[in-house]
Amino acid sequence: MLNLGLISGTVKIEEYNPEWKGEFLKEETLLKKQLRDYDVDIQHVGSTSLVGCYAKPIIDIAIGVESLEYGEQLIPALCNIGYIYDGDGHIPGRHFFKKKDGELSTHYIHVESINGKLWNNHILFRDYLNKHPIIIIEYSNLKKHLEKDFFDNINKYAIGKNPFIQKVIETAKGEKNKFIQNESNF
């Protein structure tokens, strides 16, 4: 059974649920319909997009746009389907939205510049981990450990994950650059 959502500011890590992908696909259909007049790329990101990864039961969605200024046009459209606009959500370079079911946050949307650092990091991290299941296990173990110490403090939990995430992103960038260099040698 799929139970989505957490009270803001809290941390609860759950075992991977294959229904998370279905929940993303359902939301993606709604978003494509609502944003049909906009040029956007909609991607499932975050831990619920990592096959086998323990995660908070919140579906993270990145919407890529040509610029943040263009992304501002999406604010009314997303609010019209139940999302709550939260500025940049304390991370400059994006527009951030939450969807709630009562007191529980169930979905997050990150509207980001499609060629920007936040977008690229979301995609790199997701794709690299999905190709390396052993690293997903390491990440899951870290998250479960951090949950014990910071179940009531999402900020400290996020800070605790950051070095691991940055290391994976740097590794993924290095492998991508090596691949590009090898391709250009042919």
Side-chain angles (χ1 to χ4, degrees):
M1 183 173 159
L2 182 64
N3 292 317
L4 275 184
L6 287 179
I7 294 174
S8 289
T10 66
V11 178
K12 181 178 178 240
I13 302 300
E14 295 185 4
E15 192 171 336
Y16 176 75
N17 187 332
E19 292 183 48
W20 289 335
K21 181 173 181 161
E23 182 61 32
F24 163 74
L25 293 172
K26 185 170 79 173
E27 201 68 14
E28 180 187 36
T29 299
L30 173 67
L31 290 167
K32 282 182 176 180
K33 181 179 179 187
Q34 184 69 9
L35 301 176
R36 66 187 169 276
D37 296 330
Y38 299 94
D39 185 17
V40 297
D41 184 358
I42 301 170
Q43 296 285 326
H44 188 190
V45 296
S47 295
T48 61
S49 72
L50 304 173
V51 177
C53 192
Y54 281 63
K56 296 187 313 293
I58 299 173
I59 306 300
D60 278 285
I61 300 168
I63 299 180
V65 292
E66 66 184 43
S67 68
L68 283 182
E69 293 75 25
Y70 183 84
E72 287 178 16
Q73 298 175 46
L74 277 56
I75 295 170
L78 292 171
C79 290
N80 284 339
I81 57 170
Y83 281 91
I84 301 162
Y85 181 56
D86 190 22
D88 65 9
H90 308 293
I91 297 177
R94 69 175 181 173
H95 297 290
F96 183 66
F97 301 81
K98 294 179 183 181
K99 186 178 250 187
K100 296 187 141 217
D101 181 5
E103 293 204 8
L104 302 178
S105 296
T106 59
H107 298 75
Y108 292 156
I109 288 182
H110 314 260
V111 175
E112 302 165 343
S113 175
I114 204 156
N115 290 313
K117 180 180 178 180
L118 294 176
W119 174 266
N120 289 330
N121 286 350
H122 267 132
I123 304 304
L124 271 171
F125 186 77
R126 178 199 64 197
D127 292 352
Y128 187 84
L129 261 67
N130 275 324
K131 290 178 187 168
H132 298 87
I134 194 77
I135 300 174
I136 287 177
I137 294 169
E138 288 177 43
Y139 189 43
S140 292
N141 289 335
L142 172 64
K143 290 161 63 125
K144 289 186 288 186
H145 174 75
L146 291 169
E147 174 195 29
K148 290 176 187 167
D149 293 334
F150 305 119
F151 65 91
D152 63 346
N153 191 324
I154 190 71
N155 293 328
K156 287 185 178 179
Y157 168 81
I159 290 167
K161 291 189 316 175
N162 199 46
F164 181 92
I165 292 169
Q166 292 308 313
K167 181 180 174 191
V168 168
I169 290 169
E170 290 307 312
T171 302
K173 283 179 184 175
E175 285 190 13
K176 183 178 179 182
N177 290 338
K178 186 186 277 187
F179 176 78
I180 291 168
Q181 286 176 342
N182 288 339
E183 287 291 307
S184 66
N185 290 332
F186 287 105

